[in-house]
Amino acid sequence: MSAQPSWDQYFMRMAYLAASRANCTRRKVGAVIVKGKNVLATGYNGPPSGTVHCDVVGCIRDDLNVPSGERHELCRGLHAEQNAIIQAAVHGVSIAGSSIYVTTHPCVVCSKMIMNAQIVEIVYSGGYPDDLSELMLLESNIKKRNFPLPEREIEMMLGDFSQKFGED
């Protein structure tokens, strides 16, 4: 019988499970907002509800050879953190004072949203090439922790896509 997972393992696994719903052709990202060991909202990256999925229409950023971490405005999709914050707002759930577990370090746009949403902690698994995000978060009082899951677990949750996992 395996040991019970820690809270960090539990919530990060939930973030990867959310990521498995993403239809992005470049990177699957998931986020879980938690307060007091209770899940408040989840999100994954993808286009707005009711619009065509990226894996159907293709990726503008791929077509233009846009490097990872640049030109976010060219993407059809919302990031996982944005979707989780929006879901909390839609359902009237306050996320002030919460933690966000995210499979990839937030970009600068998401970092600014996290700051204004009064989220107090970011727990992330993978890195992301965005120096401005790092600088913005250094100016905040947000606690930030890296909590990677073993690659084997990620592969089980994301399947073959995990081999492309670091490429947005």
Side-chain angles (χ1 to χ4, degrees), residues 18 20 32 50 53 65 77 91-93 96 110-111 124 139 141 161 166:
S20 73
V32 176
H53 291 184
N65 295 314
H91 296 289
V93 176
C110 291
S111 293
Y124 66 98
E139 291 183 35
N141 290 324
F161 195 92

Side-chain angles (χ1 to χ4, degrees), residues 18-29 44-48 51-59 76-77 161:
S20 73
R21 299 254 326 136
N23 57 62
C24 178
T25 60
R26 293 177 67 144
R27 178 189 300 255
K28 290 181 178 267
V29 179
Y44 54 89
N45 58 321
T51 63
V52 181
H53 291 184
C54 299
D55 56 1
V56 173
V57 297
C59 179
R76 290 175 47 83
F161 195 92

Side-chain angles (χ1 to χ4, degrees), residues 124-139:
Y124 66 98
S125 181
Y128 191 73
D130 192 332
D131 293 337
L132 185 54
S133 172
E134 294 285 350
L135 290 172
M136 295 294 296
L137 289 170
L138 283 174
E139 291 183 35

